[in-house]
Amino acid sequence: MKFETKVGKSHPDKIFNHGYDLVEDLIGNITLADMAFLGAKHRKPTERESKMLNAIMVAICEHGFTPSSISTRLTYLGAPEAVQAAVAAGLLGAGTVYLGAMEYVAEMLQDGTNKHGADNSSSEIASLILNEREDKGLQMPGFGHPIHKPVDPRTVKLFQIAQELGFYKQNSEIINEISRQFNERKGKSITLNAIGAIGAILADMDIDPKVMKSFAVAARAVGLVAHIVEEIESGRKNSVGQKLFDYFEENTEYQS
Amino acid sequence: MKFETKVGKSHPDKIFNHGYDLVEDLIGNITLADMAFLGAKHRKPTERESKMLNAIMVAICEHGFTPSSISTRLTYLGAPEAVQAAVAAGLLGAGTVYLGAMEYVAEMLQDGTNKHGADNSSSEIASLILNEREDKGLQMPGFGHPIHKPVDPRTVKLFQIAQELGFYKQNSEIINEISRQFNERKGKSITLNAIGAIGAILADMDIDPKVMKSFAVAARAVGLVAHIVEEIESGRKNSVGQKLFDYFEENTEYQS
Amino acid sequence: MKFETKVGKSHPDKIFNHGYDLVEDLIGNITLADMAFLGAKHRKPTERESKMLNAIMVAICEHGFTPSSISTRLTYLGAPEAVQAAVAAGLLGAGTVYLGAMEYVAEMLQDGTNKHGADNSSSEIASLILNEREDKGLQMPGFGHPIHKPVDPRTVKLFQIAQELGFYKQNSEIINEISRQFNERKGKSITLNAIGAIGAILADMDIDPKVMKSFAVAARAVGLVAHIVEEIESGRKNSVGQKLFDYFEENTEYQS
Amino acid sequence: MKFETKVGKSHPDKIFNHGYDLVEDLIGNITLADMAFLGAKHRKPTERESKMLNAIMVAICEHGFTPSSISTRLTYLGAPEAVQAAVAAGLLGAGTVYLGAMEYVAEMLQDGTNKHGADNSSSEIASLILNEREDKGLQMPGFGHPIHKPVDPRTVKLFQIAQELGFYKQNSEIINEISRQFNERKGKSITLNAIGAIGAILADMDIDPKVMKSFAVAARAVGLVAHIVEEIESGRKNSVGQKLFDYFEENTEYQS
């Protein structure tokens, strides 16, 4: 049997990736994030695409103490010899609840445009999407944040960069219209969060929604480096993992 | 109890990372790889450091079909709804056998310099390191490659970039001296592989050896995006995961 | 803050689990599988429940070379020092495609009984469930198998044990009725697979469908031991992981 | 290429595992834990072996709130749709620090017996092992416990069962001699913990030390079921994962 791939192939003196010579074309010429783009689109990003993607991946790679980074630290506590396991443990919670929304935002916007885009303005499409989800009792992905209220500062920044770089297109317009109308309908400010902004911008960059979560997961892996470093630097006894374990020992009530 | 961290903290309108304002200082200003550096050194990299680190992480993020990327594809086959699990599965084999060597190279070079550096040239330190490992019957980490013989093209490129950017320092000198003398002693060419080069260059960038593997693991996570994309694009039936599973079904001999 | 749990608590000379004294009541008195039951139901299983559950978990713990066990072997190849990572990698593909169906079967049966159970026989409920899924164009979870045709031998055995032990109740009846009618409608034999049988029997044991997949995942972890042992016994060079990696090296066609 | 295995093979109406017919010989006849034994020894355990192994795996499958079970709960919080990821995350910390010791205990005992067993009593072998480790400044694996002082109640129980079932042999004798002499030398009681006892007993059952950790990891997977169930039953808002996340939000001090 033969396995076929565009991803990569090694020869004694050459390595190819998606039609590029790794050594001649890629190493030293592109950024790490561009490799994710290359994987998704089978071509190197333009300079503008590279800037936008790096901005997005920087925005979501690190969130302080989250279920993800705490799991990484706890896993490092038990298996300091296996850093890969600590990173993996930190990625495993990237399910539907947190990072999944990026994909749902992009799909919502693209479905709305496919259904209503021919004859309607962005404002009208936004309204129709909101109506439809209200009718079906569906939540709005990309909205709401426990801390960043009423505005997620990353959202503002990312849309500003998208405008500078030419990626503030129809999906970005619609999500911002949805945001405006959603607040109006609810009579209060509901945060358009960074994940919502990124879902729209990546859609405006023609990234397949199904691929978006893998971008987020890869970015998160980079962010977890800082948590492992901090555990190494603290030393076992003063590590967050150990302190948390001790805290549980002292603060657990057993219910028989 | 209080948990302390430099990594990050969120306020309603501000997010801080290692003393930087994420929105003002980082998003749009640095690359994804720089976030790994920030985690390791608690400061943004200089432009030269950023270029070097991106070159290194690009060099190791993708290797075609490896145990790592095959595990990712097999995991995606069973759990396409959980892309994070597919990435995690691909990272879990990044143990001592493949990516671990980076750290061992850096430690070997730093130990050698600590012991012998005061009074010896790089060439003499290289010789002393080789002697010591020969005496103890220890393998040379960073040497040998099943495909890239006699030269790993990434090694050449990475050292060239290191020279241009000013990171070809003592550790790089010593590993190249070790390579030259090792070939001489053995009477044949033994590849100084990319992992060996990177261990030396990262040491010349003052990255703690203990942190190096987490850089490699993070880079690998980015590389796995391409494999997930290819499985998505192939469709289940033609995916590598499914074809491999079928191949096992047809080619397994049961030994009772 | 206090964390509350029924699961377990340690004192210097006593360990409690779900109201039992681990040393006095559990170690030496119950089987490993019973610990899963204890976790799910907060009580020890009866002898009949223990036998049924052990039979079920034995039936699904091992399937030879699957995406799951191949990932375990590939991960072991790269990280033989981290057996936990090899087991974890083998579990990660236990998503919706393979093991998920158990839960969907149980939910389908319970929904059907909730809606139609008051006034209808098992045969009528089966018919209504089939109608409803046909109308909605939904697949039948628990049916079909690439190898075990027309009968999955585990299904026969498990229902036989369920009858002996008194767990062949309404859910088992309905799934077998669905099977009979489904074949009749389709005019051909479609396998009622082991996962379908187990979903029904566990429902007849009053196990919450949401918990069923964790039983399957735990059983699978036990099954992966054999694959790790075989890799250890083969030695690296002759291990399946290494041979598979080599096979890919030689049989990959790069598409530029 | 052909892949060879003893583990298992499926035919339309038969499934074989290690020479047994799964349906005729295993389902309904053996316990889940016996499948781990079958994987390790390529034969079914005797009734005594099965009892001993179940006792051991029950003893180590559950420890309340540990880094392992907390990671599982945090992962479930983010990815409740992917229970396999939650279990995997809980296994990943099973590294050298906690579960690894079992293997080191068994190797220490077997090395000691191989070197000194021909001419020495268990008491003398114990003394020689202690001398050797003292000379080299090595820690004693299997000793010490943060909570169970001066006696780990599981240790007492497991050795009692081992005696009843005929598995209290030379390795068990030596570890208990080491314990006695170690306390004497130190002038205080140092707990011989459950992991130490299990390492010795499994060695007395002729289980390869390299395989022991996979037994422990599999047992742990079963124990994690209870933690997932408790998170499901609590509901998201009252889950330990969510409460812990909230606690971090409120109790993190950012160090700039």
Side-chain angles (χ1 to χ4, degrees):
Chain A
M1 185 170 56
K2 289 285 168 189
F3 297 100
E4 291 164 2
T5 184
K6 295 174 197 157
V7 174
K9 177 76 178 155
S10 291
H11 300 276
D13 61 344
K14 290 279 183 199
I15 300 162
F16 292 102
N17 289 114
H18 295 282
Y20 296 95
D21 181 318
L22 176 68
V23 165
E24 296 305 317
D25 303 328
L26 303 180
I27 297 175
N29 290 322
I30 67 170
T31 68
L32 175 64
D34 299 338
M35 288 296 284
F37 188 96
L38 182 59
K41 305 288 288 183
H42 313 301
R43 66 168 175 82
K44 283 201 287 189
T46 64
E47 203 184 317
R48 292 186 302 114
E49 285 168 332
S50 174
K51 275 191 188 169
M52 190 73 242
L53 187 61
N54 272 290
I56 286 170
M57 290 180 93
V58 166
I60 52 172
C61 90
E62 173 44 48
H63 299 254
F65 287 128
T66 58
S68 162
S69 60
I70 304 168
S71 293
T72 287
R73 290 176 184 245
L74 288 165
T75 302
Y76 183 81
L77 183 70
E81 73 287 357
V83 161
Q84 74 276 19
V87 175
L91 300 182
L92 286 174
T96 50
V97 176
Y98 300 113
L99 292 183
M102 197 178 298
E103 177 179 344
Y104 309 145
V105 168
E107 283 172 349
M108 174 182 76
L109 297 172
Q110 294 187 344
D111 288 355
T113 305
N114 288 342
K115 278 195 209 160
H116 313 299
D119 317 308
N120 290 290
S121 67
S122 293
S123 166
E124 288 160 337
I125 297 169
S127 173
L128 290 161
I129 290 172
L130 274 166
N131 292 347
E132 201 175 309
R133 294 188 81 90
E134 265 183 27
D135 289 352
K136 293 191 182 160
L138 295 172
Q139 281 195 306
M140 291 302 296
F143 286 89
H145 199 283
I147 297 173
H148 300 308
K149 296 186 242 186
V151 169
D152 185 331
R154 298 166 298 179
T155 297
V156 178
K157 180 75 172 190
L158 288 166
F159 280 129
Q160 179 200 315
I161 295 173
Q163 274 171 325
E164 289 166 19
L165 295 171
F167 297 111
Y168 191 97
K169 299 182 188 168
Q170 190 168 25
N171 291 290
S172 297
E173 269 175 39
I174 297 172
I175 195 85
N176 275 295
E177 263 304 310
I178 288 175
S179 173
R180 197 184 57 73
Q181 295 178 25
F182 193 36
N183 287 354
E184 217 170 76
R185 292 185 188 201
K186 293 283 177 187
K188 61 176 178 179
S189 278
I190 300 158
T191 307
L192 171 53
N193 60 42
I195 294 297
I198 292 171
I201 296 170
L202 287 177
D204 279 338
M205 294 175 75
D206 280 326
I207 300 296
D208 180 350
K210 288 194 188 317
V211 173
M212 291 180 187
K213 201 165 86 174
S214 63
F215 280 34
V217 169
R220 182 61 56 93
V222 175
L224 291 169
V225 170
H227 293 272
I228 291 169
V229 169
E230 209 167 73
E231 295 295 274
I232 294 173
E233 290 179 352
S234 306
R236 163 165 295 271
K237 275 199 186 167
N238 294 310
S239 70
V240 168
Q242 184 66 55
K243 284 164 71 178
L244 180 58
F245 187 16
D246 294 343
Y247 186 79
F248 266 96
E249 291 284 324
E250 288 152 25
N251 292 282
T252 294
E253 271 174 17
Y254 176 69
Q255 303 173 306
S256 60
Chain B
M1 185 171 56
K2 290 285 169 190
F3 297 100
E4 290 164 2
T5 185
K6 294 176 199 157
V7 175
K9 177 76 179 156
S10 292
H11 300 277
D13 61 345
K14 290 277 183 201
I15 300 162
F16 292 101
N17 289 112
H18 295 281
Y20 297 95
D21 181 318
L22 175 69
V23 166
E24 296 304 317
D25 302 328
L26 304 179
I27 297 175
N29 291 322
I30 68 169
T31 69
L32 175 63
D34 299 338
M35 287 296 285
F37 188 96
L38 181 59
K41 304 290 286 184
H42 313 301
R43 65 167 174 83
K44 282 200 287 188
T46 63
E47 203 183 317
R48 292 187 302 112
E49 287 168 332
S50 173
K51 276 191 189 169
M52 191 72 241
L53 186 62
N54 272 291
I56 286 170
M57 291 179 93
V58 166
I60 52 172
C61 89
E62 173 44 47
H63 298 254
F65 288 127
T66 58
S68 162
S69 60
I70 304 168
S71 293
T72 287
R73 290 176 183 245
L74 289 165
T75 302
Y76 183 81
L77 183 70
E81 74 287 356
V83 160
Q84 74 275 18
V87 175
L91 301 182
L92 286 173
T96 49
V97 176
Y98 300 113
L99 292 182
M102 198 179 296
E103 176 179 344
Y104 309 144
V105 168
E107 283 171 349
M108 174 182 77
L109 297 171
Q110 294 187 343
D111 287 356
T113 306
N114 289 342
K115 278 194 207 160
H116 313 298
D119 317 309
N120 290 291
S121 68
S122 292
S123 166
E124 289 162 336
I125 297 169
S127 172
L128 291 162
I129 290 172
L130 272 166
N131 291 347
E132 201 175 309
R133 294 189 80 91
E134 266 183 25
D135 289 353
K136 295 191 183 163
L138 295 172
Q139 281 194 305
M140 291 301 295
F143 286 89
H145 199 281
I147 299 174
H148 301 308
K149 298 187 239 187
V151 169
D152 185 331
R154 298 166 299 178
T155 298
V156 179
K157 179 77 172 189
L158 287 166
F159 280 131
Q160 178 199 315
I161 296 173
Q163 274 170 322
E164 288 165 19
L165 296 171
F167 297 111
Y168 191 96
K169 298 182 187 169
Q170 189 166 26
N171 291 291
S172 297
E173 270 176 38
I174 298 172
I175 194 85
N176 275 295
E177 262 304 313
I178 288 176
S179 174
R180 197 185 57 75
Q181 295 179 27
F182 193 35
N183 288 353
E184 218 170 77
R185 293 186 187 201
K186 294 283 176 185
K188 61 176 176 179
S189 277
I190 300 159
T191 307
L192 170 53
N193 60 41
I195 295 296
I198 291 171
I201 297 170
L202 286 177
D204 279 337
M205 295 175 75
D206 280 326
I207 300 295
D208 181 349
K210 286 193 188 319
V211 172
M212 291 179 188
K213 200 166 85 174
S214 62
F215 280 34
V217 170
R220 181 61 56 93
V222 175
L224 291 170
V225 171
H227 293 272
I228 290 169
V229 169
E230 208 166 70
E231 295 296 273
I232 293 173
E233 290 179 352
S234 307
R236 164 165 294 271
K237 276 199 185 167
N238 293 310
S239 70
V240 168
Q242 184 66 54
K243 284 163 70 179
L244 180 57
F245 187 15
D246 294 343
Y247 186 79
F248 267 96
E249 289 286 324
E250 288 152 24
N251 291 282
T252 294
E253 271 174 19
Y254 176 69
Q255 304 173 304
S256 60
Chain C
M1 184 171 56
K2 290 286 169 191
F3 297 100
E4 291 163 0
T5 184
K6 294 174 196 158
V7 175
K9 177 77 180 154
S10 291
H11 300 276
D13 61 343
K14 289 279 184 199
I15 300 163
F16 292 102
N17 289 112
H18 295 279
Y20 297 95
D21 181 318
L22 176 68
V23 165
E24 296 305 316
D25 302 328
L26 304 179
I27 297 175
N29 290 322
I30 67 170
T31 69
L32 175 63
D34 299 338
M35 287 297 283
F37 188 96
L38 181 59
K41 304 289 286 183
H42 313 301
R43 64 169 175 81
K44 282 200 288 189
T46 64
E47 202 182 318
R48 291 187 302 113
E49 285 167 334
S50 173
K51 276 191 186 167
M52 189 74 241
L53 186 62
N54 273 290
I56 286 171
M57 291 179 94
V58 166
I60 53 172
C61 90
E62 172 44 48
H63 298 253
F65 287 127
T66 58
S68 162
S69 61
I70 304 168
S71 293
T72 287
R73 290 175 184 246
L74 289 165
T75 302
Y76 183 80
L77 183 69
E81 73 286 356
V83 160
Q84 73 275 19
V87 174
L91 300 182
L92 286 174
T96 49
V97 176
Y98 300 113
L99 292 182
M102 197 180 295
E103 178 180 343
Y104 309 143
V105 167
E107 283 171 350
M108 174 182 76
L109 298 171
Q110 294 186 343
D111 288 355
T113 306
N114 289 341
K115 277 195 209 159
H116 313 298
D119 318 307
N120 291 290
S121 68
S122 293
S123 166
E124 287 162 337
I125 297 169
S127 173
L128 290 162
I129 290 172
L130 273 167
N131 292 347
E132 201 174 309
R133 294 188 81 91
E134 263 183 28
D135 289 351
K136 295 192 182 162
L138 295 171
Q139 282 195 304
M140 291 302 296
F143 285 88
H145 199 283
I147 298 172
H148 301 309
K149 298 186 243 187
V151 168
D152 185 332
R154 298 165 299 178
T155 298
V156 178
K157 180 75 171 194
L158 288 167
F159 281 130
Q160 178 199 315
I161 296 172
Q163 275 172 323
E164 288 165 20
L165 296 170
F167 298 111
Y168 191 96
K169 299 183 188 169
Q170 189 167 25
N171 291 290
S172 298
E173 269 175 38
I174 298 172
I175 195 83
N176 275 297
E177 262 303 311
I178 288 176
S179 174
R180 197 184 58 74
Q181 296 178 24
F182 192 35
N183 288 354
E184 216 170 76
R185 292 185 188 201
K186 293 283 177 187
K188 60 176 178 179
S189 277
I190 300 159
T191 307
L192 171 52
N193 61 42
I195 295 296
I198 291 171
I201 297 170
L202 286 177
D204 278 338
M205 294 174 77
D206 280 326
I207 300 295
D208 181 349
K210 287 193 188 317
V211 173
M212 291 179 187
K213 201 166 84 174
S214 63
F215 280 35
V217 169
R220 181 62 56 92
V222 175
L224 291 170
V225 170
H227 293 271
I228 291 169
V229 169
E230 208 167 70
E231 294 296 274
I232 293 173
E233 290 179 352
S234 307
R236 164 166 295 271
K237 277 200 185 166
N238 294 311
S239 70
V240 168
Q242 184 65 54
K243 285 165 70 179
L244 180 58
F245 187 15
D246 294 343
Y247 186 78
F248 266 95
E249 289 285 324
E250 288 153 25
N251 292 282
T252 294
E253 272 175 18
Y254 175 69
Q255 304 172 304
S256 60
Chain D
M1 184 171 57
K2 290 285 169 191
F3 297 100
E4 290 163 1
T5 184
K6 294 175 198 158
V7 174
K9 178 76 180 155
S10 291
H11 300 277
D13 60 344
K14 288 278 184 199
I15 301 162
F16 292 101
N17 290 111
H18 295 280
Y20 297 96
D21 181 319
L22 176 68
V23 165
E24 296 305 316
D25 302 328
L26 305 180
I27 296 176
N29 291 322
I30 67 170
T31 68
L32 175 64
D34 299 338
M35 287 297 283
F37 188 96
L38 181 58
K41 303 290 285 182
H42 313 299
R43 64 168 175 83
K44 283 199 288 186
T46 64
E47 201 182 318
R48 291 186 303 110
E49 286 168 332
S50 174
K51 275 191 188 170
M52 190 72 241
L53 186 62
N54 273 291
I56 286 170
M57 291 180 93
V58 165
I60 53 172
C61 89
E62 172 45 47
H63 298 253
F65 288 126
T66 58
S68 163
S69 60
I70 304 168
S71 292
T72 287
R73 291 176 184 245
L74 289 165
T75 302
Y76 183 80
L77 183 70
E81 73 286 356
V83 160
Q84 74 275 20
V87 174
L91 301 181
L92 287 173
T96 49
V97 176
Y98 300 113
L99 293 183
M102 198 179 296
E103 178 179 344
Y104 309 143
V105 167
E107 283 171 351
M108 173 182 77
L109 297 171
Q110 294 186 343
D111 287 356
T113 306
N114 288 342
K115 279 194 208 159
H116 313 298
D119 318 307
N120 290 289
S121 67
S122 293
S123 165
E124 288 162 337
I125 297 169
S127 173
L128 290 161
I129 289 172
L130 273 167
N131 292 347
E132 200 175 307
R133 294 189 80 90
E134 265 183 27
D135 289 352
K136 295 192 182 163
L138 294 172
Q139 281 194 304
M140 291 302 294
F143 286 89
H145 199 281
I147 298 173
H148 300 307
K149 298 186 241 186
V151 169
D152 185 332
R154 298 166 299 178
T155 298
V156 179
K157 179 76 173 193
L158 288 166
F159 281 129
Q160 178 199 316
I161 296 173
Q163 275 171 322
E164 289 166 18
L165 296 170
F167 298 111
Y168 191 96
K169 300 182 187 168
Q170 190 166 24
N171 291 291
S172 297
E173 269 175 39
I174 297 172
I175 195 83
N176 275 295
E177 261 304 310
I178 288 176
S179 174
R180 197 185 57 73
Q181 296 178 25
F182 193 35
N183 288 353
E184 217 171 76
R185 291 185 188 201
K186 294 283 176 185
K188 61 176 176 178
S189 276
I190 299 160
T191 307
L192 171 52
N193 60 41
I195 294 295
I198 291 171
I201 297 170
L202 286 177
D204 279 338
M205 294 174 77
D206 279 326
I207 301 295
D208 181 348
K210 286 193 189 315
V211 173
M212 291 178 186
K213 200 166 83 175
S214 63
F215 280 34
V217 169
R220 182 61 56 92
V222 175
L224 291 169
V225 171
H227 292 271
I228 291 169
V229 170
E230 208 167 70
E231 294 297 273
I232 293 173
E233 291 179 350
S234 306
R236 166 165 293 271
K237 277 200 184 165
N238 294 310
S239 70
V240 168
Q242 184 65 55
K243 284 163 72 178
L244 179 58
F245 188 14
D246 294 343
Y247 186 78
F248 267 94
E249 288 286 324
E250 288 152 24
N251 292 282
T252 294
E253 271 174 19
Y254 176 68
Q255 303 172 305
S256 60

